[in-house]
Amino acid sequence: MRVLSVVGARPQFVKLAPIARAMRNQIDHVVVHTGQHYDERMSDVFFRDLEIDAPDVNLAVGSGGHGTQTAAMLAGLEPVFKEHEPDWVLVYGDTNSTIAAALAAVKIHIPVAHLEAGLRSFNRRMPEEHNRVLTDHASDLLLAPTQVAMGHLEREGLLRRSVLVGDVMTDVLFSVRDQVRKRGVALPEGFERGRYRVATLHRPDNTDDPQRLTQILEGLASLDLPVLLAVHPRLKTLALQHGITLQRGAIVPIDPLPYPELVAAVMGSAGVITDSGGLQKEAFLLGVPCTTVRPETEWVETVDLGWNVLVSDDLSQLPSAVQRSMPKATDATPYGDGTAAQSVVETLLSWRG
Ligand code: UD1
């Protein structure tokens, strides 16, 4: 069997890692990188650190508006799919690379499997929400990470195409966490275990309006512990454009972190503040409280179990939410046991539709 994976943005490289490993020696695996993320620190380091072979094809589409970027991917992917004639095109998550690949494949009758299917924020302002809803409905096989995601797929009439496989980000997180414990990865210089927090911000709703961005930064700056802010290129570009200084008060801006260093930084921290989907869940799995700067989350289990608090409309609440007391420990495992990638491979090999 030949499976062609399409990835393009940072979280997809993380998801690809356990899948590529599980496919080794079982499946002829072709990897296509759209080039949506192209900076060394947003792309190459993930392939290196997570021991993923270099992509077989890189379309190098780069940045652009949604239409331009997605269109370039569509045009670039079709001939690649025709050349490799895969049994499955496997798409990951909810980025513009995901929807482009699903659409390109379905148009030329190649079966599409969507990994991380069924997640919903029910916020139609988010590009990721359009991407995931449309990708789910275009796909032939929906590989869902959680029971909640399965419920969404059922409500949308997609249950017959859906399989609960678990969360592949948990697979990779557990293996990197264990490596970090064994080898130890140094904390950023000058930071003391448990005496700092980690933050990331990149969602258009938080970065693109200068007033809102300033309010969020002011909230972080006023915190009682230093905040290691790993600066996504979108945040860097927009802050510069609006003349907004990131370095203020408690904030210590740093370049985006390679995955093992991010995991180590979160493990050693007193808390996480983010608008990233993946990081909310990673914090939960590492037993670190998270505050999410968004009106809603796809990973509702983190909130229900008390480990994640959402702050969005009233940003004056940000400092008190972050500085809340430690949540009650839980032994719930809503994201599986770290063996999701194997279930994905078994499902792809055996699925008869
Ligand atoms: C994308 C995904 C988002 C995911 C995020 C992870 C979509 C719609 N969004 O958002 O779901 O959570 O990746 O990071 O697909 N840039 C660079 N170098 C890079 C990449 C981006 O400079 O390597 C800059 C460019 O100015 C670009 C901007 O960042 O215009 C935004 O990049 P883009 O990939 O379009 O969206 P993200 O905000 O990264």
Side-chain angles (χ1 to χ4, degrees):
M1 172 176 283
R2 174 174 295 162
V3 175
L4 188 151
S5 283
V6 180
V7 290
R10 187 169 58 174
Q12 294 168 325
F13 312 139
V14 177
K15 290 166 202 166
L16 172 65
I19 294 287
R21 186 165 310 150
M23 283 190 183
R24 229 168 260 164
N25 308 324
Q26 287 195 72
I27 285 178
D28 174 15
H29 191 201
V30 179
V31 175
V32 179
H33 188 326
T34 62
Q36 177 172 351
H37 286 175
Y38 43 87
D39 286 357
E40 155 89 9
R41 281 183 161 264
M42 296 293 287
S43 175
D44 302 11
V45 294
F46 287 81
F47 283 82
R48 207 167 48 228
D49 290 340
L50 298 173
E51 294 171 4
I52 314 169
D53 291 342
D56 299 280
V57 180
N58 191 327
L59 299 178
V61 300
S63 303
H66 289 295
T68 315
Q69 190 180 56
T70 312
M73 294 175 192
L74 266 173
L77 287 168
E78 187 173 284
V80 175
F81 293 173
K82 284 185 170 160
E83 182 195 334
H84 290 278
E85 297 182 331
D87 298 290
W88 286 106
V89 164
L90 181 59
V91 302
Y92 299 68
D94 55 19
T95 73
N96 289 342
S97 300
T98 315
I99 178 73
L103 195 52
V106 79
K107 290 278 182 198
I108 54 172
H109 315 299
I110 299 175
V112 185
H114 182 204
L115 183 73
E116 215 174 71
L119 291 185
R120 297 289 180 265
S121 67
F122 302 102
N123 175 355
R124 288 180 61 90
R125 280 188 54 82
M126 287 175 67
E128 293 79 8
E129 185 73 357
H130 323 146
N131 290 341
R132 51 173 93 97
V133 171
L134 295 170
T135 301
D136 280 344
H137 284 259
S139 297
D140 301 276
L141 172 60
L142 303 172
L143 302 160
T146 61
Q147 202 59 60
V148 170
M150 287 295 281
H152 296 147
L153 294 169
E154 181 173 15
R155 273 192 287 287
E156 292 175 30
L158 298 171
L159 193 58
R160 285 180 52 202
R161 295 188 238 159
S162 306
V163 178
L164 176 62
V165 288
D167 174 46
V168 296
M169 284 185 100
T170 300
D171 298 15
V172 61
L173 178 73
F174 283 175
S175 96
V176 170
R177 175 200 62 190
D178 294 346
Q179 282 168 28
V180 168
R181 278 187 186 149
K182 218 175 341 172
R183 278 207 309 253
V185 173
L187 292 178
E189 220 181 282
F191 286 84
E192 211 183 305
R193 212 180 159 75
R195 301 294 304 154
Y196 67 94
R197 297 189 180 89
V198 174
T200 74
L201 285 174
H202 78 278
R203 299 250 164 236
D205 270 356
N206 288 333
T207 55
D208 296 10
D209 171 3
Q211 212 182 331
R212 182 169 171 86
L213 177 58
T214 306
Q215 268 181 301
I216 299 172
L217 292 172
E218 278 303 307
L220 297 180
S222 72
L223 292 174
D224 57 355
L225 292 175
V227 178
L228 204 55
L229 175 65
V231 181
H232 185 286
R234 168 184 279 281
L235 174 60
K236 190 174 176 181
T237 310
L238 282 145
L240 208 65
Q241 223 173 64
H242 300 314
I244 293 173
T245 314
L246 298 174
Q247 186 156 15
R248 57 175 85 193
I251 301 178
V252 182
I254 54 162
D255 283 338
L257 289 171
Y259 191 71
E261 287 170 33
L262 176 79
V263 171
V266 171
M267 282 166 78
S269 76
V272 165
I273 306 110
T274 191
D275 59 9
S276 146
L279 192 51
Q280 297 168 42
K281 194 179 39 180
E282 284 156 351
F284 167 76
L285 292 166
L286 295 171
V288 173
C290 182
T291 307
T292 298
V293 191
R294 279 182 52 193
E296 74 291 298
T297 177
E298 299 78 17
W299 305 106
V300 290
E301 303 83 358
T302 59
V303 174
D304 295 345
L305 292 164
W307 283 78
N308 192 5
V309 167
L310 307 177
V311 177
S312 180
D313 288 346
D314 184 1
L315 289 168
S316 67
Q317 300 293 320
L318 188 59
S320 58
V322 172
Q323 288 161 198
R324 68 190 185 273
S325 49
M326 190 75 175
K328 217 169 86 208
T330 171
D331 51 13
T333 56
Y335 304 117
D337 57 0
T339 57
Q342 198 47 49
S343 307
V344 169
V345 169
E346 283 161 18
T347 309
L348 289 173
L349 286 169
S350 62
W351 186 254
R352 293 290 170 266

